[in-house]
Amino acid sequence: ALAGLTNALRVVGKRKEDVKVVFSGAGSAAISITKLLLSAGFRHITLCDKFGAVCKGDPQLNEAQAAIAEVTNLERRTGTLAEMMVGADVFIGVSAPKVVTPDMAKDAVVFACANPTPEIFPEEAKAGGARVVATGRSDYPNQINNVLAFPGVFRGALDVRASDINEEMKMAAARALAGLIGEEELSEENIIPKPFDPRVVPAVAQAVAQAARETGVARL
């Protein structure tokens, strides 16, 4: 998600520090991605669950949601996903099928990653005016799927007998993935390499191993 979003923002000409990111989903996937985005320098992130925006002080939040609410939705807004999407630059869906309508996608970068049925299909999002659209599926352009990261992350960690997989190693993996798409390849429908691109695993593994060495968790 971080790799794809890095390149999507290159396409639309926006800065990570400025964009407003809205999530559909407030479970482990959304929280993990949010933590990585915050580490990367994104500032304006709001998570939404089926009840609406996750906001500090909500007694319905579980422990993990309460912790992430401390550092997200800084304006402490409440309301539905549709209301949070007004003026959003980025939508990331890790939730349920068909929770986004075309009008909600206008001018946004849309990562609709629910599988097998995304929060909104690419053709609908494009019809609504979305700028860049990605899904978790392999039959559409821009597959945002952890299958891109796992083989290289584990290969890199094993190669140096890392004692941990830390945030810096995850960041290195994302940078390596994003860096495989050069300016001449970058487009609205090509923001991230495909899983079977032979460059992916070696590039991620090398970056992860180097990050492990630099952060002192490598044992080789």
Side-chain angles (χ1 to χ4, degrees):
L2 174 56
L5 186 51
T6 298
N7 284 341
L9 294 184
R10 288 167 60 197
V11 171
V12 301
K14 294 183 178 180
R15 302 188 330 139
K16 62 187 177 183
E17 297 87 356
D18 301 329
V19 294
K20 293 183 179 180
V21 182
V22 175
F23 276 82
S24 176
S28 57
I31 290 171
S32 295
I33 296 169
T34 295
K35 288 179 179 178
L36 202 58
L37 295 186
L38 289 170
S39 294
F42 288 80
R43 296 174 181 168
H44 310 288
I45 302 176
T46 300
L47 282 68
C48 297
D49 62 13
K50 61 184 178 181
F51 302 109
V54 171
C55 186
K56 180 180 178 180
D58 186 342
Q60 297 186 94
L61 302 182
N62 61 38
E63 185 177 347
Q65 291 171 332
I68 205 69
E70 294 283 342
V71 291
T72 58
N73 191 5
L74 301 181
E75 297 175 354
R76 308 304 180 208
R77 298 174 64 201
T78 58
T80 65
L81 172 62
E83 289 170 331
M84 296 304 106
M85 285 285 288
V86 176
D89 301 286
V90 177
F91 167 80
I92 299 178
V94 280
S95 57
K98 300 181 180 180
V99 297
V100 174
T101 56
D103 60 295
M104 293 163 65
K106 183 174 176 58
D107 292 329
V109 171
V110 174
F111 285 12
C113 298
N115 261 329
T117 306
E119 286 81 1
I120 185 171
F121 278 98
E123 53 267 33
E124 296 173 312
K126 285 283 190 179
R131 301 283 302 278
V132 178
V133 183
T135 69
R137 295 169 51 137
S138 60
D139 55 343
Y140 284 101
N142 300 330
Q143 184 182 14
I144 306 298
N145 195 300
N146 54 25
V147 69
L148 279 159
F150 279 150
V153 168
F154 288 132
R155 180 72 275 162
L158 290 169
D159 283 346
V160 296
R161 293 184 60 202
S163 60
D164 189 20
I165 295 177
N166 57 35
E167 204 77 355
E168 291 84 359
M169 293 161 71
K170 299 173 194 174
M171 294 282 289
R175 286 193 296 269
L177 282 172
L180 289 175
I181 303 296
E183 289 297 330
E184 69 285 352
E185 298 177 85
L186 185 65
S187 70
E188 290 182 357
E189 297 199 342
N190 191 38
I191 59 170
I192 197 165
K194 295 177 175 58
F196 292 112
D197 185 326
R199 302 174 297 168
V200 167
V201 173
V204 173
Q206 183 178 1
V208 167
Q210 183 60 32
R213 294 187 191 99
E214 292 173 355
T215 55
V217 298
R219 290 180 289 189
L220 282 180

